[in-house]
Amino acid sequence: MASVTSLSDSVQQHLASALSAALPEAAGADPLLRRSDRADYQANGILALAKKAKANPRELATEVVSGITTGDVIADVEVSGPGFLNITVADKAITENLAARYADDTGRLGVPYAAHPGTTVIDYAQPNVAKEMHVGHLRSAVIGDAMVRLLEFTGENVVRRHHIGDWGTQFGMLIQYLDEHPHELDHKESEVSGEEAMSNLDRLYKTARKLFDSDEEFKTRARRRVVDLQAGDPATLATWQKFVDESKIYFFSVFDKLDMEVRDPDIVGESGYNDMLAETCRLLEESGVAVRSEGALCVFFDDIKGPEGNPVPLIVQKSDGGYGYAATDLSAIRDRVFNLKATTLLYVVDARQALHFRMVFETARRAGWLNDDVTAVQLAFGTILGKDGKPFKTRAGETVKLEGLLDEAVERATAVVREKAGKVGLTEDEIVENGRYVGIGAVKYADLSTSAVRDYKFDLDQMVSLNGDTSVYLQYAYARIQSILRKAGEARPAAHPELALAPAERALGLHLDQFAETVLEVAAAREPHKLAAYLYQLASLLTSFYDQCPVLKADSPAQVENRLFLVDLTARTLHEGMALLGIRTPEKL
């Protein structure tokens, strides 16, 4: 089914026609139509057009109104103030528009695809091999997953990349230790959980580190192993692969708890670009983008200086010949642009790395790898804070482990679900399943409902509350609709455009109409928090609707059907919107 023309677009077309008739030179001008609390919409564009044409804005507005035919789409237009237009949409137009969205058999609710889709490579969810994931990994995973869903929904070709930390000097230590203690990781993959896998690695890492710090001979052997690893020695690489595989068991278990799909081919860590590093450096040096400074290969920037005013370079290759993060990140850009044919590179990375990425992107631009046709953007995110407003830590001052945090969220949510279970007849299996959906949804929504660049406080009590701007409130709104639909008996949802709409029905309908526009804007601006805000407002309008408009006890069978249609479309919109944020909507709650 083709996309549905929104009410705002229909109103805009009527206004544009009347405007060009009243002022021919204004043909194609934007009437600046906006939702308003004074009417359904307000158009503010006439003031600027009148000023340009040296006309009286109120007189011009009056002339435009005289050229608007009221009826099927626009019920009423009045001039307000110095030349604003207050526009009321016909009830029939609202219902017919929503009926078209409801009839969309593609499940897209009439949402069109983006006008010019391209290929976006999203770099997100970047854990480190042989290290446990902590609370700092949460935002990249959750925001990145939402952006993947949003962009794919709008028609973008999305390539996922998980740039895991799987290379570097600590692997020499780990490999040498495992080589000397070969049975430390002996088990069958199918017999070990992700938590046990990481527990093995964690224990191994601590033991190897203790030996590394106390035994000079072992330290020498371990450093030799780093050289072997970088040189591609087969036996060393085989042992390194064991660490990667062991860590992946753990990564997948955490991502599964987060209800996220992470596919093995999408995991291309630092090691994946190892063979490109020397060529990246050669290309940068030969083109003059990078220069040697005290033996290191550096890129300098006029506007980036240290505390004492000295230039701060991006070091691509160290003076000892080793490669830093910059060489790997620049090689990844080359791969994503020239091999994956990306038009956009999106990095969901902590705001504290902004300077690094600014320097990397500028270097890639100077090298010609990024240009007007290929852009790189950091979707920077802030820090998760504790209730005290400080970075979230355990009581002992350690970084909070992500797996434990998710388990606690599910535990709290399950308790909330269990409290209500008797009223809606949930089985024990449903309580456990819904507890997981509510707990993980609560964590995701708290993150996604905050502008990415801002810090936010992690408060599980608030997150699993049925009141306020929480995912539980939205999930409950959805489940409440499903309960009404189950109780409807013979009555079925059906649109009745001939019926007049109550104020709460109109408000709900006009907001439902904005779903398509919101999704496209959110995807293009990379601002998932605005979709969360839209959904919260939708659930709030639904609550007002319930208070004012009986559904199953409406005045007539037609009104019952029309209100069932309104709430069912609201449920579908909540379900689709939450799914785009990576959050489930249980049928009973």
Side-chain angles (χ1 to χ4, degrees), residues 97-110:
N97 174 275
L98 298 183
R101 297 191 183 284
Y102 191 72
D104 184 355
D105 55 10
T106 66
R108 295 182 59 81
L109 302 174

Side-chain angles (χ1 to χ4, degrees), residues 128-144:
N128 294 306
V129 166
K131 290 184 183 175
E132 286 191 87
M133 291 175 71
H134 54 76
V135 70
H137 290 110
L138 180 65
R139 301 208 72 184
S140 178
V142 169
I143 296 168

Side-chain angles (χ1 to χ4, degrees), residues 535-568:
L535 294 171
Y536 174 61
Q537 192 179 349
L538 180 61
S540 300
L541 288 167
L542 180 70
T543 301
S544 300
F545 166 85
Y546 281 140
D547 291 343
Q548 298 169 37
C549 304
V551 178
L552 301 180
K553 294 181 179 178
D555 293 339
S556 68
Q559 195 173 56
V560 170
E561 290 178 348
N562 201 56
R563 287 181 177 171
L564 283 171
F565 149 71
L566 267 177
V567 295
D568 194 17

Side-chain angles (χ1 to χ4, degrees), residues 10-33:
S10 297
V11 171
Q12 182 122 340
Q13 287 163 15
H14 279 69
L15 279 183
S17 298
L19 191 53
S20 58
L23 194 66
E25 61 267 38
D30 185 355
L32 299 180
L33 191 69

Side-chain angles (χ1 to χ4, degrees), residues 164-231:
I164 64 171
D166 63 353
W167 207 244
T169 53
Q170 78 269 27
F171 287 98
M173 175 187 80
L174 285 165
I175 291 165
Q176 187 60 34
Y177 183 82
L178 190 61
D179 194 48
E180 295 175 11
H181 304 81
H183 302 295
E184 287 282 341
L185 291 182
D186 279 357
H187 59 73
K188 292 179 182 175
E189 268 188 28
S190 59
E191 294 175 357
V192 69
S193 70
E195 205 166 345
E196 288 168 331
M198 190 43 66
S199 177
N200 287 338
L201 283 174
D202 196 51
R203 176 178 43 76
L204 190 74
Y205 185 91
K206 285 173 181 171
T207 309
R209 168 58 70 181
K210 190 175 178 183
L211 188 61
F212 185 87
D213 291 340
S214 63
D215 185 332
E216 285 300 320
E217 289 186 6
F218 175 75
K219 185 182 287 188
T220 303
R221 294 196 300 276
R223 285 177 170 161
R224 204 176 296 135
R225 271 301 169 122
V226 177
V227 177
D228 292 341
L229 178 65
Q230 292 174 339

Side-chain angles (χ1 to χ4, degrees), residues 510-533:
L510 287 165
H511 193 67
L512 284 167
D513 173 64
Q514 289 184 283
F515 180 63
E517 181 186 337
T518 301
V519 168
L520 292 179
E521 284 179 0
V522 162
R526 308 176 189 103
E527 294 178 325
H529 69 281
K530 291 187 176 175
L531 176 57

